[in-house]
Amino acid sequence: MRTINPNLRQSRELAFTLAEMTVAVAVFSLIIAGVCAIQLFAMRVYTLSSTKLTATESARETMNELRDLVRSSKVVYVGTFSKSNGFARIPTGQAQMGNALEFATTNANKTNYLIYYLDNWDPTNVMLSISNTAAATLNVEAKYVTNYYCFFGENFQGATNTDYQNNTVIHIVLQFYRWEYPLGFVGTNAINAYDFYTIQTKVMRRGFD
């Protein structure tokens, strides 16, 4: 007489079939794939946001410094700066627009002055500052500035001045062209991996002559 073990029958009833195992593995694979896709997307968003913040951080700091300098200076001149000739003010009769801005604490402008200018000869298009107290020292204020004309002297209506007015409004425009993916190329073509940013402000001196 053959006897049947009841425990054996119960264990067979609790086992997974091949179809159930296949479905479970497929669902688990889909979950893992979804988690990986979300993680990759989050990393991409983080890289984009980090690059934008990095590209504009120095610009915002530079803009704040320029704003405070314009407000506190006695005289502010728009001009051009070159390595050979240094700073040159825009002559009367020409549009007050250039790549440099000169600040001074006195009207004579011969004792203490500070110059901010765009060095477009540098591969990274840096904005530098130099003062007469440390003429040999150049401070990097911002990088990847692409527009040559960064500074404008305007009137209260927003029109560019052609002469030096006592209440000139200084219009500062900084445009950037920065690689969005600094850690490596995206795909086989990185032409579209650059982004463009513009930061601008208008400010006027607090004190009048």
Side-chain angles (χ1 to χ4, degrees):
M1 181 177 180
R2 184 179 181 183
T3 60
I4 299 176
N5 189 350
N7 296 329
L8 181 60
R9 178 180 297 178
Q10 184 178 5
S11 62
R12 290 179 178 177
E13 291 177 353
L14 295 178
F16 288 101
T17 63
L18 180 59
E20 291 173 338
M21 289 295 297
T22 304
V23 172
V25 171
V27 172
F28 181 76
S29 300
L30 290 176
I31 294 175
I32 296 299
V35 171
C36 292
I38 294 174
Q39 180 68 18
L40 293 176
F41 177 76
M43 293 174 61
R44 182 176 181 273
V45 172
Y46 173 80
T47 302
L48 290 174
S49 302
S50 177
T51 306
K52 290 181 180 180
L53 292 176
T54 302
T56 58
E57 179 181 4
S58 60
R60 292 193 302 269
E61 294 176 354
T62 303
M63 193 69 74
N64 291 335
E65 294 177 2
L66 289 171
R67 178 197 60 201
D68 295 339
L69 285 171
V70 172
R71 289 178 177 176
S72 60
S73 295
K74 189 65 176 178
V75 290
V76 181
Y77 293 106
V78 178
T80 59
F81 189 95
S82 63
K83 293 183 177 180
S84 57
N85 301 324
F87 180 83
R89 300 175 187 174
I90 302 298
T92 302
Q94 297 183 11
Q96 299 294 308
M97 52 190 298
N99 70 325
L101 204 61
E102 184 182 41
F103 308 92
T105 56
T106 62
N107 288 337
N109 194 25
K110 295 180 180 180
T111 55
N112 297 317
Y113 65 85
L114 178 65
I115 299 174
Y116 275 67
Y117 70 95
L118 175 66
D119 185 3
N120 61 340
W121 302 278
D122 188 277
T124 57
N125 288 344
V126 296
M127 176 163 288
L128 304 172
S129 64
I130 185 173
S131 65
N132 67 325
T133 57
T137 303
L138 293 175
N139 297 318
V140 178
E141 305 295 343
K143 293 183 178 181
Y144 309 105
V145 182
T146 60
N147 57 314
Y148 178 79
Y149 293 104
C150 302
F151 308 106
F152 304 84
E154 300 178 349
N155 58 19
F156 70 97
Q157 294 179 325
T160 303
N161 292 331
T162 56
D163 58 358
Y164 291 97
Q165 299 182 6
N166 188 39
N167 58 344
T168 298
V169 178
I170 303 300
H171 185 190
I172 306 170
V173 181
L174 300 179
Q175 297 176 348
F176 299 86
Y177 197 50
R178 182 68 179 267
W179 193 13
E180 282 191 342
Y181 303 92
L183 300 180
F185 288 96
V186 179
T188 57
N189 190 349
I191 295 179
N192 297 324
Y194 288 82
D195 205 354
F196 181 79
Y197 314 93
T198 299
I199 298 180
Q200 59 181 324
T201 187
K202 293 185 179 183
V203 63
M204 191 173 64
R205 293 186 300 114
R206 287 177 175 172
F208 298 107
D209 296 336

